Amino acid sequence: MSAPERIPPRSVTAADPAAAVLLAEGELTVRGRIREASNAALYCTVTHEGREAACVYKPVAGERPLWDFPDGTLAGREVAAHAVSEATGWGLVPPTVLRDGPYGEGMCQLWIETAPGAELLALVDGEEPEPGWKAIGLAEVGEGRTALLVHADDERLRRLAVLDAVINNADRKGGHLLPTAEGLLYGIDHGVTFNAENKLRTLLWGWAGEPLTAEALEVLEGLRTALTDTGPLTAALTPLLTRAEIDATRARVETLLATGTHPQPGGDWPAIPWPPV
């Protein structure tokens, strides 16, 4: 993701508790539009009590209608994805809030600067990945040639694959993966998540059918507790999602715990988003 004019974020990081207050209460100043985004996405600065950071503001008014998601709900789904990420303790989604802005209510998310040269995806010759990589599938690369699309065998990506399975992410592309110079990894663009029907569509299929890690199972147990009727995560999601969508999220957590494995692609929905990056 690129912006018309880069303004390095100052004063707060994604792990800073002050980030949410800054995003929610600070003054938004639009600096430019992110042209690659499918919906209106504005690159902004936000200032509050002498602190400043760069952020992305996606107004609800700029959301394109989708046949399988109710109109005007994508911003709330982005906030819901952050809430689930925080409940896992993995911190995989940048601080995200729902707030008013120059173009009405919308999602506001802390801007993440990425590390240049961090390789998480690749196209390789052959039918099997090299050590340290996981196969996604074959891809056409032109002139009748195919290559194997692979992603890194990286525990950060594996955690994100679990999060995506929980939130039913229908659009996990390579461009939505933001590795940082500090060795962290963030996922962004979670507007098409939490559908009550199975719509998991991702590049992170490398662990499909493999046993979940002990860490992932522990995290899922925590989500099960947090998603009870009186649980804190249910309370956080209730203003953002429908009851059916919250029930479906609970069911996905239960299924992951029951099977103990990463999900496999289903036949009713394209398994890999297009374009993949």
Side-chain angles (χ1 to χ4, degrees):
M1 186 166 63
S2 61
E5 176 189 356
R6 290 260 176 134
I7 299 175
R10 300 197 300 271
S11 301
V12 299
T13 65
D16 192 331
V21 175
L22 176 62
L23 292 171
E25 301 181 12
E27 180 181 356
L28 276 177
T29 302
V30 176
R31 302 292 180 177
R33 181 167 183 171
I34 301 168
R35 296 186 180 278
E36 298 94 329
S38 56
N39 295 293
L42 304 174
Y43 182 72
C44 303
T45 51
V46 59
T47 57
H48 181 65
E49 296 182 348
R51 310 192 81 180
E52 182 179 32
C55 62
V56 177
Y57 162 54
K58 297 181 182 179
V60 171
E63 295 178 5
R64 294 192 307 170
L66 298 172
W67 68 269
D68 51 350
F69 287 84
D71 292 350
T73 67
L74 305 191
R77 295 172 193 278
E78 298 233 33
V79 179
H82 174 254
V84 175
S85 169
E86 290 300 286
T88 66
W90 286 333
L92 294 169
V93 178
T96 313
V97 302
L98 197 64
R99 59 161 294 169
D100 195 26
Y103 299 101
E105 185 179 59
M107 179 278 283
C108 188
Q109 184 176 80
L110 192 70
W111 179 270
I112 300 297
E113 288 292 338
T114 58
E119 193 173 22
L120 297 174
L121 298 167
L123 282 168
V124 298
D125 293 325
E127 297 182 357
E128 296 293 333
E130 296 291 328
W133 295 88
K134 305 289 283 187
I136 302 169
L138 294 173
E140 295 184 6
V141 293
E143 299 180 354
R145 286 186 60 242
T146 60
L148 186 65
L149 182 61
V150 297
H151 66 67
D153 188 2
D154 185 311
E155 68 172 8
R156 302 170 302 171
L157 288 179
R158 190 165 191 172
R159 289 171 174 173
L160 194 58
V162 174
L163 176 67
D164 283 344
V166 171
I167 67 175
N168 198 16
N169 193 347
D171 195 33
R172 175 62 72 204
K173 296 178 180 177
H176 301 165
L177 306 173
L178 304 183
T180 74
E182 296 77 27
L184 302 175
L185 177 70
Y186 294 98
I188 60 168
D189 285 352
H190 297 107
V192 286
T193 51
F194 295 102
N195 200 296
E197 298 180 8
N198 179 28
K199 292 185 179 290
L200 183 60
R201 191 167 61 161
T202 176
L203 287 177
L204 304 181
W205 287 116
W207 298 281
E210 293 187 14
L212 293 163
T213 65
E215 177 196 46
L217 291 170
E218 182 178 355
V219 164
L220 289 165
E221 286 285 1
L223 290 180
R224 171 192 270 166
T225 301
L227 281 167
T228 59
D229 286 343
T230 58
L233 185 52
T234 299
L237 297 180
T238 296
L240 304 168
L241 305 173
T242 67
R243 179 180 293 274
E245 289 166 342
I246 295 173
D247 288 344
T249 303
R250 290 192 188 110
R252 289 191 293 271
V253 170
E254 293 293 345
T255 298
L256 288 166
L257 285 168
T259 62
T261 61
H262 287 269
Q264 301 191 64
D268 299 330
W269 184 254
I272 296 175
W274 190 262
V277 178

